[in-house]
Amino acid sequence: MAMASVVANVPAACSDKAALHFGSAFEYETDCADVHAAMRSGQQDFVLLDVRGPGLYAQGHVPGALNLPQGKIVEAKLKEYPPETLFVVYCAGPHCNGAHRGALRLARLRRPVKLMIGGVTGWLDEGYQLAR
C-alpha cells in the first residue's frame, strides 16, 4: 500500500466541519473584487482603511481608502464614526500582517471589522488601479 502524501497525511475535515470553517471566514474577510464592486456600484456601506504608513499610502492606495496606520487605531481617531460602522482594512498584501493587526485593534475597540484579503497586491492582481 502506498504511503500517503504530505497533503493527505492529515485527513480532511468532515464536510460539516469544513462548511462551518469556510463559511465563517466570510464573517472576517472580504476580497478585492467584492470591495471594488461595492464601491463601483455606489453601495459602499463600509469605511476602507489602508493601515500602512503614510509613505506607502502616498505611493499608491486603493481609491477611496483612508490612511490610518494600524498602530494609530485608537478610539479618539474613530469618534466621528457611529459604533456600528463597518471597517474594512488592508495592508501591502498576503506577506504583511498589518491588516490583521489593524483588524485586531478595531475588534478590541468593539468595532465591526473585516479584512480585505490580498491587500494592495491582490488589488493589483485583479487589474485595478491605485490612486496616488
Side-chain angles (χ1 to χ4, degrees), residues 29-52:
E29 302 174 344
T30 188
D31 68 10
C32 299
D34 288 345
V35 168
H36 183 266
M39 294 170 76
R40 205 170 107 209
S41 71
Q43 294 181 323
Q44 184 175 342
D45 50 1
F46 55 87
V47 174
L48 185 60
L49 293 181
D50 183 319
V51 300
R52 301 172 302 152

Side-chain angles (χ1 to χ4, degrees), residues 26-84:
F26 296 107
E27 296 177 53
Y28 307 101
E29 302 174 344
T30 188
D31 68 10
C32 299
D34 288 345
V35 168
H36 183 266
M39 294 170 76
R40 205 170 107 209
S41 71
Q43 294 181 323
Q44 184 175 342
D45 50 1
F46 55 87
V47 174
L48 185 60
L49 293 181
D50 183 319
V51 300
R52 301 172 302 152
L56 290 173
Y57 177 83
Q59 288 176 23
H61 57 273
V62 174
L66 305 176
N67 185 223
L68 182 57
Q70 59 87 14
K72 296 184 186 271
I73 296 174
V74 295
E75 190 59 51
K77 301 267 185 179
L78 306 175
K79 64 184 174 199
E80 68 183 85
Y81 302 103
E84 67 276 6

Side-chain angles (χ1 to χ4, degrees), residues 10 15 24 27 36-37 41-42 59 64 79 90 102 115 118 125:
V10 175
S15 296
S24 70
E27 296 177 53
H36 183 266
S41 71
Q59 288 176 23
K79 64 184 174 199
Y90 73 88
L115 185 137
D125 285 350

Side-chain angles (χ1 to χ4, degrees), residues 28-31 87-90 99-100 103 113-118:
Y28 307 101
E29 302 174 344
T30 188
D31 68 10
F87 291 92
V88 173
V89 297
Y90 73 88
H100 285 85
V113 60
K114 289 189 177 192
L115 185 137
M116 185 180 81
I117 57 174

